[in-house]
Amino acid sequence: MNVGGIDSGRIEAMIAQLKAAATRPDGAAKPVAGAAPAAKVDFADALKSSLEQVSGSQLQAGELGKSFAMGDDKVSLSDVMISMQKANIGFQATVQVRNKLVSAYHEIMNMQV
């Protein structure tokens, strides 16, 4: 099913990545054999971290755009456009994850007990 340009398979893959990131401590690579099990990270913390990353990329894109508009020679148009597209893609993915979570919430609330 195609939802707003992103198919549900991609959304499910993103949710799987969030779950995988939630099982690792921040900045940790894949677990090493024989190492202690990784501490569990709350789903809310992983979601908050993802939202902060999206917000940060949007702020960075805005700052680059502002610098380019002010005539800063260090900032090229291609850098501005790439950062804006990255921020846009991150935002769209976030909206799709939110839509999937709201849909799952509605399904759970409509279940008969």
Side-chain angles (χ1 to χ4, degrees):
M1 179 173 91
N2 192 351
V3 180
I6 299 177
D7 63 319
S8 62
R10 286 184 145 182
I11 294 171
E12 290 172 10
M14 183 180 295
I15 291 173
Q17 287 178 347
L18 281 172
K19 287 179 183 177
T23 60
R24 292 190 313 257
D26 288 340
K30 296 191 183 218
V32 179
K40 292 275 185 177
V41 178
D42 191 18
F43 177 76
D45 292 338
L47 188 60
K48 182 179 177 183
S49 173
S50 297
L51 291 175
E52 287 172 352
Q53 286 179 342
V54 170
S55 177
S57 69
Q58 288 178 327
L59 291 173
Q60 179 186 14
E63 289 297 319
L64 279 175
K66 191 183 297 182
S67 295
F68 181 76
M70 298 296 266
D72 189 357
D73 293 337
K74 298 174 188 167
V75 180
S76 68
L77 179 60
S78 61
D79 291 340
V80 173
M81 295 305 294
I82 289 170
S83 67
M84 286 184 167
Q85 285 300 315
K86 284 182 180 179
N88 186 25
I89 289 169
F91 179 73
Q92 287 177 0
T94 302
V95 169
Q96 294 300 321
V97 169
R98 179 199 59 112
N99 291 343
K100 191 72 169 179
L101 288 172
V102 169
S103 174
Y105 173 78
H106 285 297
E107 286 182 26
I108 290 171
M109 293 306 293
N110 289 332
M111 284 183 180
Q112 292 184 357
V113 180

